Amino acid sequence: MSYDFNRRSFVKAAGITGIAGLAGCLGGEGGNTLSWHAGGTGGTYYPLSGNFKTIAEENTDYSLQVESTGASVENVSNLNREEADFALIQNDIAYFAVNGTGIEQLQGEGMDNIRGVATLYPETIHVITQADSGIESVEDLGDATVNTGAPGSGTQVNALQILETAGITEDDFNEQNADFETAADQIRDGDIDAAFVVAGWPAGSIEDLATTNDISLVEISGDLRDDIRAEAEWFANDTVPAGTYDGIDSDVETVSVQAMIATHDGVEDEVVEAITAAIFDHTDDLDYKTDFISADSAQDGMPIDLHPGAKAYFG
């Protein structure tokens, strides 16, 4: 299904390039420094990328230059322009980018040079509020001030999809856009009513917030969850387990997308194979999402063609 969101923030996001230009991209021309684009420092992409950097540098001849970015939508554009060699993105955004569909700045001609490497773990949709906010369902976000994520991020895409499915249009709420850490500060200070964070649990920004403030996670369940999954097949059922964050004493039902590693077809096959082998031969060295990341599941939910270097490793 193709979504057609006409949001001014999406138009703005198309021009976002972050600090990608600083990276020394391999792009098939040799060299040992590879540009790896992650996400905001308050999510899971950035610290996990730090793990990948350590593993790659201990087990290959390559070094990874990890960049903090606006995450998925920004990252696919950087890959398409060959301003990054590798990036972490959501599987739905990968599909949108390659097929030229889904959201406004990705519609049209597909980014046909982007290739998959591996899928990693579920990226859980968290909807956070203060515990005394009175917000108990997504439908309660009408008339609220909501941070839907950084402009152009996969978080923003998912938030707007979910809100629209719940019957909440752009005229019904006040949209704010910022990264996870800023969103946590906004919740803490009472500047917003709720925030979407799309990250593997536990997300650092939410952990930190929950140590200083009483928070609540809004469930996405029942008919709404069924409708979300019917309209967007890349969503899966998910649960934030009780105890994941301070004050969250019961399981919270929600949905998730899948995190994945992507690259582009200008990166040499042997480079992609070496980095892939290093990561998936040493998953025991990871500190994050260790229950999910493995070679056995690394093609589950892969929405785009594999890079030949990844294909050589996974067979």
Side-chain angles (χ1 to χ4, degrees), residues 125 225 229 232-239 254-258:
I125 282 75
R225 181 158 73 172
R229 294 197 60 200
E233 60 272 18
W234 48 85
F235 283 115
N237 291 347
D238 201 359
T239 302
T254 184
V255 292
S256 64
V257 290
Q258 191 86 352

Side-chain angles (χ1 to χ4, degrees), residues 31-51:
N32 288 334
T33 299
L34 305 172
S35 174
W36 185 291
H37 286 197
T41 56
T44 306
Y45 280 9
Y46 193 81
L48 178 60
S49 295
N51 273 185

Side-chain angles (χ1 to χ4, degrees), residues 156-178:
Q156 187 189 28
V157 173
N158 296 149
L160 295 178
Q161 290 170 345
I162 290 166
L163 289 167
E164 184 169 290
T165 302
I168 298 172
T169 71
E170 62 181 319
D171 296 325
D172 294 330
F173 74 105
N174 177 22
E175 184 179 4
Q176 299 289 307
N177 299 109

Side-chain angles (χ1 to χ4, degrees), residues 125-177:
I125 282 75
H126 301 71
V127 186
I128 317 159
T129 70
Q130 290 201 22
D132 61 357
S133 68
I135 295 172
E136 298 181 355
S137 69
V138 174
E139 288 85 352
D140 291 337
L141 296 178
D143 296 325
T145 299
V146 183
N147 189 321
T148 60
S153 66
T155 297
Q156 187 189 28
V157 173
N158 296 149
L160 295 178
Q161 290 170 345
I162 290 166
L163 289 167
E164 184 169 290
T165 302
I168 298 172
T169 71
E170 62 181 319
D171 296 325
D172 294 330
F173 74 105
N174 177 22
E175 184 179 4
Q176 299 289 307
N177 299 109

Side-chain angles (χ1 to χ4, degrees), residues 204-280:
S205 56
I206 304 176
E207 284 188 303
D208 292 344
L209 175 63
T211 64
T212 61
N213 289 72
D214 293 332
I215 67 165
S216 176
L217 295 181
V218 179
E219 278 208 340
I220 301 174
S221 59
D223 290 343
L224 175 60
R225 181 158 73 172
D226 291 343
D227 290 344
I228 290 168
R229 294 197 60 200
E231 294 185 15
E233 60 272 18
W234 48 85
F235 283 115
N237 291 347
D238 201 359
T239 302
V240 179
T244 300
Y245 304 106
D246 288 350
I248 304 300
D249 300 325
S250 301
D251 290 353
V252 179
E253 298 303 308
T254 184
V255 292
S256 64
V257 290
Q258 191 86 352
M260 61 175 283
I261 304 170
T263 185
H264 61 79
D265 63 9
V267 182
E268 295 174 352
D269 294 0
E270 58 266 31
V271 174
V272 175
E273 184 175 3
I275 296 299
T276 304
I279 291 171
F280 286 93

Side-chain angles (χ1 to χ4, degrees), residues 114 147 181 301:
I114 295 175
N147 189 321
E181 290 181 325

